[in-house]
Amino acid sequence: MNVIKLFDYQEDMKERIEKALRLHRSVMVQMPTGTGKTVLLASVVESFLREHSNCNVWIVAHRRELVSQIRETIQRVFSKTPSLLYKDFSNHPVNSSKITPSLFTLKEGSTSHPDPLTLRGEGGNRPTRCSEPLRSKDGGPSKVSPDCAGWDRLDATCLRPADGLGATCLRSAEGLGDRLGMSGASKGSPDCLSASAFNVPIKAVSIQWLAKHYDEIEEEPGMIVIDEAHHALAKTYKEMWERFPKAKFLGLTATPCRLNGKGFTDLFDVLVQSWSVPEFISKGRLATYDFVSIKSDGVTQRLIDSLQKRGADGDYQNKEMDMLLNKKPSIERLYRSLEEYGKDRKGIVYAINISHANAIAEFYREHGIAAVAIDSKTPSSLRKELIERFKASSFSSSNHQPSILHKDLSNHPDKSSKITPSLFTIKEGSTSHPDPLTLRGEGGNRPTRCSEPLRSKVGGPSKVSPDCAGWDRLGATCLRAADGVGDRLADTCLRAGDGLGATCLRTADGVADELAPIQVLVNVDIFSEGFDCPDVEFVQLARPTLSLAKYLQMVGRGLRVAKGKKNCVIIDNVGLYRVFGLPSQVWNWNAMFEGKLKVGKSKETPKDREFFLMNEKQDDIQIHPDSEMMMVMSHEELLQRIQYREFVDSKGEFAIIKLPDGKMTVVNRQGEQVLEPGDYYDMKLLDGNILFYRPRRKAKCYYDLLAKAVIDDGTNVAEAPHVVNIKGWEFIEYNDIFMSRTQEDFSLPYHPSQYDFLNYGYYMIFRFRPSAPGCQVWYYCEGDEGKMRMSNEESRNVCFLRNDYEHVYWLCAVLYGERIVVMDSKENYYLVDSNLKKTYIGCNHPKNENEDLNVVMPRLGKKYYHEAMLQKKEMEANEMLLLHEKSEAGHVELYQAGKKWGVKVDGKVVVPPLYCCIAQPVGAYCAFEEIPRHWGVMTLKGKVIVDAKYEKVEIRDNGIAVVTGITGKIQTINLLKVKG
């Protein structure tokens, strides 16, 4: 007998799941996106049904698309074990007279579903119209979900008004169902689907349908499987536990976490975890990736940082995101980053909402990228067609041919007189068909409204192509007899509302066989769960989120492995890595499952950067110096950092792992070993990144994982060390000794006061009484434009660098541009910037003038002074650009207090009420009246750049102000060049 074949990790998970189900009623399973949860689910269900022959299994999902996908997977997997799908029901505990041909055994008298559709010519009667109102037990209209009202059975397909075809039954007997690829009962309602026509032990259903029909279902399941179980905290899910107390529950998810931090222990008894993402990548079960993101000081990151409002789910408010990011400058930045990193790759883009998705797709098409937008309002048949076209498309650098969008049909076998004009340039004035999908910038125009009546040259109704004359713009599918009612799914009118322009693609046009490939799918939460296209080569994140689950579901779409796929590029245009880290980060899922850990937005610190920034050398992707993007992690470095295998325990930033040879060690989140592997008797992670282990039976050791240094070891060690936090910096207090977390020893026999420390973010100063022998001190001279001098005194300031757990330094100088000069214990001097890049510049005993601080320090002082002044100007320019975008987005308002006027930006007062009048802002500027008939110009930050001495001021969009003096003289002022 055939059985479902599983990978080794799936076999291990199956064994652990079945063991957990024997001990517990309700089990949650965590497996990363793309590792085969649905196949594993099918195998678990198969084993359950073999053991419990009289039980049914329900598979519950929260979206119709997931129900359809589960159904297809179940059908594919169980095609090898058909005996389970078509069991002998002669001994079924439910009386056969009560078994209806619907999915569930319904209570007698229920008409939740119409009778089966019998086909003419097979002894049946004409089927009831699908649009006929359903009746309840007492004969009145039923409240059954209309989405499931016309679901088909017995080789009949019901197309509902929601699909744009009215209430029409297309029957296999008429040859239409098969041609549309929807033959048989397997293509039933998207709400309520089964692995077979009826009376089968496995049933897939949406939670929405189930919640409405609990009272009409007579049977009880033996097990209920919940797909994407992180949604299971909704009230509709909890009711299942109450209604079916004897059923087992199995929840599957990649992300057992919620935005509000709530756990799942009120529904599930235990969490079963699979390998981590790094382990899947190291074993080739998930793809490697390059990760690029926006710079922290860029315009986009600053716009996202200004988001203040939250939606009902606790995430960013959709309306505010749309106002700030659904603008042409933001979409242009999306396009530039895609051109820079995703060119000749196919992938998916995650947008904020439908409007944003359509705007992105349209802009991409205007610039030669074959992009379409898909959302919840896209008809399911059209959505399926577009996805299939996307999956079939290939965009490697060798075969990418955008010209296929405008194919040369000069040698088409049909006579030119018969070829429908929709694919060609039509005579002026003719609107026989909307224009084809032309790209702006290549001579194309915006298509005519699809619902506009077609006109001939003389103004009357056009006689061109009557088959397509009445095609609908908003909700219909164009199926024509001349086209054979669609030998392929391509026989569909693609509408501008779908983000595809207004193009009618028909078999008669000769393009059905070779449709233009789709390179980019822009979607709104359609592909965050359940989307299976392994050869996705890039994922572009264009929507911010505070949800870890949503982030991992989005990036996970690109991590599936596929033949010929080298890696995936993740283009993070909204800075999500600063919120959550990288996709290969190790998460404490058990703590989130229990509700003890909430992952939310956190400010990026240099400590975070250590985990996400990589080496400067990259093989494949080069970063342009003017780009808004930055490389976070390359796939080469990713592979170097995931050499570990089996997890034993994890806490904070470290994990205990077992290597293939059985030895144990500790790694950080990059996979770097911080302890020599060994055969340790005991090992435990303590608070504060302290490790306790036994190198020998009677010996104990406390080890600082950050400093990679032993705190104390032996047979008579004291109690566990205590981590002390002073102004955000950690020190260790052990056995009445205060010590730094560095390999070089710095300790005091007392606990110093917090006032002895000065925190500067990336470095900290401790005011030490004795001075450092030989450490020079340099400082800037006031008013000398960067000139530096050396002090006669030696440094007394001990300096600690963030994330430098090796050395203790002494402070030498503080330079412009957030740079310092420090001296180490060997009397070598280093230049350190805010990114913690350390560069050797000299020493106390120089061998040449390049190491002589008397030469080096004055030169560095002037260099960074001038750089700081230039950077200040650039920041002011960026600030003006940001204010311009906020002004256009409506985030700037004028307000009045008494008789005076001021300005608010994002609801905060930036200009107090000081002026008689303020004109409406134009870009980043606004005109103000200081006293009557005395007008000037200021920025939206309140900085006056044109004095109030003009009778009239007019500001134009391009940063030009036309001013009229008291004498009537008119001047033009370029505001961009005015020095404030």
Side-chain angles (χ1 to χ4, degrees):
M1 182 177 293
N2 293 326
V3 294
I4 300 172
K5 293 183 179 180
L6 302 176
F7 291 114
D8 52 353
Y9 66 90
Q10 291 173 322
E11 289 283 5
D12 175 66
M13 284 296 292
K14 179 182 177 182
E15 183 179 339
R16 292 164 58 198
I17 291 169
E18 291 175 345
K19 181 179 179 181
L21 284 172
R22 287 193 292 269
L23 298 175
H24 305 280
R25 180 194 175 200
S26 185
V27 175
M28 176 175 274
V29 177
Q30 182 276 327
M31 290 182 69
T33 301
T35 56
K37 291 190 296 294
T38 310
V39 175
L40 175 62
L41 152 67
S43 182
V44 172
V45 169
E46 177 193 42
S47 298
F48 181 84
L49 291 176
R50 291 186 189 280
E51 188 176 345
H52 305 83
S53 57
N54 292 328
C55 288
N56 291 336
V57 174
W58 296 358
I59 304 175
V60 181
H62 71 290
R63 288 210 336 257
R64 297 178 185 174
E65 293 80 11
L66 294 178
V67 175
S68 299
Q69 182 180 341
I70 293 169
R71 177 205 63 197
E72 293 169 0
T73 303
I74 292 294
Q75 284 179 328
R76 182 177 68 252
V77 171
F78 278 90
S79 64
K80 300 178 181 179
T81 55
S83 59
L84 281 175
L85 286 181
Y86 302 98
K87 287 168 51 177
D88 181 8
F89 280 83
S90 59
N91 297 322
H92 197 279
V94 182
N95 190 292
S96 61
S97 62
K98 293 183 180 182
I99 297 179
T100 66
S102 63
L103 279 174
F104 295 93
T105 304
L106 305 179
K107 293 181 179 179
E108 188 171 5
S110 172
T111 55
S112 296
H113 302 290
D115 290 336
L117 301 178
T118 55
L119 304 179
R120 285 179 288 180
E122 299 182 12
N125 299 319
R126 182 180 181 87
T128 306
R129 287 177 58 88
C130 301
S131 57
E132 178 179 343
L134 302 178
R135 302 295 175 181
S136 64
K137 299 176 184 178
D138 58 4
S142 173
K143 296 182 180 179
V144 176
S145 167
D147 293 321
C148 203
W151 72 302
D152 67 282
R153 293 170 298 282
L154 297 178
D155 237 7
T157 301
C158 178
L159 304 180
R160 300 177 304 284
D163 294 329
L165 284 171
T168 304
C169 287
L170 300 183
R171 295 175 296 281
S172 296
E174 296 177 359
L176 301 182
D178 287 338
R179 285 187 232 167
L180 284 174
M182 292 187 285
S183 62
S186 64
K187 302 293 181 184
S189 162
D191 265 340
C192 194
L193 302 170
S194 170
S196 181
F198 52 84
N199 290 338
V200 296
I202 307 171
K203 295 155 187 176
V205 60
S206 72
I207 185 63
Q208 293 82 5
W209 186 92
L210 191 62
K212 295 177 182 179
H213 297 82
Y214 279 127
D215 296 331
E216 301 180 54
I217 300 173
E218 188 174 62
E219 67 183 60
E220 288 197 10
M223 181 165 69
I224 297 178
V225 181
I226 301 173
D227 194 37
E228 304 299 344
H230 53 278
H231 295 282
L233 287 182
K235 294 180 180 179
T236 50
Y237 283 91
K238 292 183 179 180
E239 191 174 357
M240 289 191 295
W241 270 259
E242 300 170 359
R243 286 184 175 268
F244 307 109
K246 297 180 180 180
K248 293 279 188 177
F249 286 85
L250 177 64
L252 279 78
T253 180
T255 52
C257 60
R258 298 278 286 181
L259 185 57
N260 58 15
K262 290 184 178 180
F264 297 87
T265 52
D266 56 335
L267 295 180
F268 296 96
D269 302 321
V270 66
L271 175 68
V272 179
Q273 299 183 59
S274 70
W275 297 347
S276 65
V277 171
E279 194 165 2
F280 276 109
I281 294 175
S282 68
K283 292 188 176 182
R285 303 301 188 188
L286 287 178
T288 59
Y289 60 83
D290 294 309
F291 199 106
V292 293
S293 185
I294 54 177
K295 295 177 180 176
S296 59
D297 56 352
V299 173
T300 303
Q301 185 64 62
R302 296 169 72 184
L303 284 170
I304 294 169
D305 289 341
S306 69
L307 293 172
Q308 299 176 350
K309 300 179 181 179
R310 301 292 182 264
D313 59 354
D315 208 344
Y316 291 120
Q317 187 192 71
N318 191 295
K319 182 179 179 181
E320 187 181 24
M321 287 192 294
D322 182 77
M323 289 179 64
L324 282 182
L325 299 177
N326 192 6
K327 302 295 179 184
K328 187 175 180 180
S330 292
I331 296 175
E332 284 177 345
R333 290 192 285 269
L334 292 176
Y335 167 74
R336 287 198 300 268
S337 62
L338 179 58
E339 275 292 287
E340 196 170 356
Y341 309 112
K343 191 175 183 180
D344 297 337
R345 289 174 176 256
K346 81 172 186 178
I348 53 182
V349 181
Y350 290 93
I352 296 168
N353 52 30
I354 295 175
S355 170
H356 191 217
N358 287 332
I360 293 171
E362 182 179 356
F363 190 90
Y364 284 9
R365 290 195 301 273
E366 289 174 354
H367 291 77
I369 297 176
V372 296
I374 295 181
D375 54 69
S376 59
K377 295 184 179 180
T378 306
S380 58
S381 58
L382 176 58
R383 183 190 305 171
K384 182 175 181 180
E385 173 196 348
L386 297 176
I387 292 174
E388 291 304 318
R389 283 176 55 193
F390 173 76
K391 289 182 178 180
S393 302
S394 177
F395 282 86
S396 63
S397 58
S398 60
N399 61 10
H400 178 47
Q401 297 179 354
S403 60
I404 197 171
L405 287 175
H406 305 286
K407 200 176 174 187
D408 181 9
L409 297 181
S410 59
N411 297 320
H412 196 279
D414 292 337
K415 293 182 180 180
S416 59
S417 60
K418 293 183 180 180
I419 296 178
T420 309
S422 63
L423 292 177
F424 297 89
T425 304
I426 304 174
K427 292 182 179 180
E428 185 176 359
S430 172
T431 56
S432 58
H433 289 289
D435 292 335
L437 180 59
T438 53
L439 306 176
R440 291 187 183 178
E442 298 182 14
N445 299 318
R446 185 173 183 85
T448 309
R449 281 179 58 94
C450 305
S451 56
E452 179 179 343
L454 304 180
R455 300 291 176 186
S456 64
K457 295 180 181 178
V458 297
S462 173
K463 295 182 180 180
V464 179
S465 184
D467 293 330
C468 199
W471 75 303
D472 176 7
R473 176 175 180 267
L474 295 175
T477 303
C478 187
L479 303 176
R480 294 173 301 286
D483 297 338
V485 199
D487 292 329
R488 299 171 180 83
L489 286 172
D491 299 331
T492 306
C493 281
L494 308 181
R495 302 171 301 282
D498 297 326
L500 287 169
T503 304
C504 186
L505 304 178
R506 298 180 300 278
T507 304
D509 296 330
V511 295
D513 291 336
E514 295 182 21
L515 286 174
I518 296 175
Q519 181 181 358
V520 178
L521 284 180
V522 188
N523 80 101
V524 184
D525 287 340
I526 294 296
F527 302 146
S528 58
E529 295 167 335
F531 177 70
D532 184 9
C533 182
D535 62 340
V536 167
E537 296 171 296
F538 81 82
V539 173
Q540 186 171 33
L541 307 177
R543 63 146 300 155
T545 183
L546 295 173
S547 168
L548 172 62
K550 185 170 291 185
Y551 168 64
L552 294 181
Q553 294 283 356
M554 289 190 296
V555 297
R557 301 305 129 192
L559 298 185
R560 296 177 185 269
V561 293
K563 185 177 181 181
K565 175 179 174 180
K566 294 181 179 179
N567 57 70
C568 176
V569 177
I570 299 173
I571 308 172
D572 177 19
N573 287 101
V574 287
L576 291 184
Y577 100 92
R578 290 189 176 86
V579 183
F580 304 113
L582 292 170
S584 54
Q585 182 168 321
V586 179
W587 299 98
N588 191 342
W589 293 124
N590 201 62
M592 297 184 205
F593 170 78
E594 295 175 355
K596 297 179 179 179
L597 177 63
K598 180 178 180 181
V599 178
K601 184 173 182 180
S602 59
K603 186 177 180 181
E604 183 194 20
T605 64
K607 187 175 183 180
D608 297 326
R609 300 172 75 95
E610 181 190 54
F611 289 88
F612 308 133
L613 294 178
M614 68 310 141
N615 300 329
E616 295 179 1
K617 288 186 65 176
Q618 305 299 333
D619 294 339
D620 295 346
I621 297 183
Q622 301 298 325
I623 305 296
H624 192 278
D626 297 331
S627 173
E628 188 196 30
M629 310 298 289
M630 59 179 285
M631 173 64 79
V632 180
M633 174 75 75
S634 71
H635 67 273
E636 296 95 345
E637 187 183 15
L638 177 65
L639 286 174
Q640 293 173 0
R641 295 185 174 185
I642 53 175
Q643 301 302 318
Y644 51 88
R645 292 296 181 264
E646 179 184 342
F647 266 84
V648 177
D649 187 23
S650 64
K651 188 168 189 173
E653 299 165 349
F654 297 92
I656 301 172
I657 64 165
K658 184 177 290 186
L659 299 176
D661 59 3
K663 292 184 178 182
M664 298 178 68
T665 185
V666 178
V667 297
N668 58 22
R669 289 182 178 173
Q670 288 78 29
E672 300 169 335
Q673 295 182 12
V674 296
L675 180 69
E676 188 71 24
D679 298 316
Y680 301 113
Y681 288 91
D682 190 13
M683 189 173 283
K684 185 178 181 181
L685 293 169
L686 306 179
D687 292 336
N689 297 313
I690 302 294
L691 175 70
F692 167 79
Y693 68 94
R694 294 180 182 271
R696 299 175 301 279
R697 282 191 185 277
K698 296 183 179 180
K700 296 180 181 179
C701 181
Y702 290 108
Y703 187 82
D704 187 348
L705 291 170
L706 296 181
K708 299 179 184 178
V710 173
I711 300 172
D712 193 9
D713 64 347
T715 56
N716 298 313
V717 298
E719 295 183 358
H722 179 59
V723 177
V724 179
N725 191 298
I726 300 179
K727 294 186 177 181
W729 290 71
E730 291 183 350
F731 296 86
I732 292 178
E733 197 168 26
Y734 176 72
N735 202 20
D736 297 329
I737 297 176
F738 182 86
M739 61 183 70
S740 62
R741 304 197 75 166
T742 55
Q743 290 183 16
E744 291 184 351
D745 179 55
F746 178 82
S747 57
L748 298 172
Y750 62 91
H751 191 301
S753 167
Q754 62 174 336
Y755 301 108
D756 295 327
F757 293 90
L758 296 175
N759 182 14
Y760 293 97
Y762 67 98
Y763 69 97
M764 173 178 267
I765 297 300
F766 173 64
R767 294 173 176 173
F768 203 46
R769 292 174 185 171
S771 61
C775 183
Q776 303 177 25
V777 176
W778 288 77
Y779 61 93
Y780 278 104
C781 301
E782 293 186 11
D784 263 349
E785 295 188 349
K787 186 176 180 180
M788 298 197 76
R789 291 181 181 176
M790 185 175 71
S791 173
N792 295 326
E793 297 182 357
E794 295 178 333
S795 177
R796 294 177 177 270
N797 293 325
V798 178
C799 182
F800 302 101
L801 298 181
R802 181 77 71 177
N803 296 330
D804 190 332
Y805 301 107
E806 184 176 356
H807 300 289
V808 178
Y809 302 92
W810 295 83
L811 183 66
C812 170
V814 178
L815 306 180
Y816 277 95
E818 296 188 1
R819 293 175 177 86
I820 59 174
V821 176
V822 296
M823 185 192 79
D824 67 8
S825 58
K826 296 179 181 179
E827 298 188 11
N828 293 325
Y829 291 85
Y830 296 89
L831 174 69
V832 184
D833 62 17
S834 59
N835 291 326
L836 301 173
K837 183 179 179 181
K838 194 170 66 171
T839 306
Y840 172 78
I841 61 171
C843 60
N844 280 342
H845 306 286
K847 296 179 182 179
N848 52 59
E849 66 176 15
N850 292 330
E851 294 182 329
D852 189 351
L853 262 61
N854 291 305
V855 176
V856 175
M857 289 304 297
R859 184 173 67 238
L860 290 178
K862 283 194 175 183
K863 175 184 176 182
Y864 293 120
Y865 170 80
H866 292 300
E867 283 187 5
M869 297 302 104
L870 181 61
Q871 186 179 20
K872 182 180 179 182
K873 293 181 180 179
E874 291 177 352
M875 289 180 61
E876 290 176 352
N878 285 336
E879 185 72 23
M880 299 302 291
L881 177 60
L882 181 65
L883 289 173
H884 182 89
E885 293 191 19
K886 287 192 174 186
S887 176
E888 290 187 345
H891 281 227
V892 178
E893 61 176 314
L894 307 180
Y895 74 99
Q896 187 176 16
K899 295 184 179 181
K900 299 292 184 178
W901 288 83
V903 179
K904 291 182 179 180
V905 177
D906 290 329
K908 297 180 180 179
V909 175
V910 294
V911 179
L914 300 173
Y915 303 106
C916 297
C917 184
I918 299 178
Q920 284 296 327
V922 178
Y925 307 96
C926 62
F928 67 94
E929 188 180 29
E930 191 168 24
I931 58 177
R933 299 182 64 187
H934 283 71
W935 288 83
V937 180
M938 65 178 172
T939 68
L940 294 180
K941 284 291 187 180
K943 184 178 181 179
V944 176
I945 56 176
V946 177
D947 292 333
K949 58 182 180 181
Y950 300 96
E951 186 172 5
K952 182 180 178 182
V953 173
E954 178 187 357
I955 303 175
R956 298 177 180 173
D957 289 334
N958 54 3
I960 300 297
V962 180
V963 298
T964 305
I966 304 298
T967 62
K969 183 180 178 181
I970 298 176
Q971 292 179 272
T972 299
I973 302 175
N974 188 340
L975 301 177
L976 301 176
K977 296 183 179 180
V978 174
K979 293 184 179 181

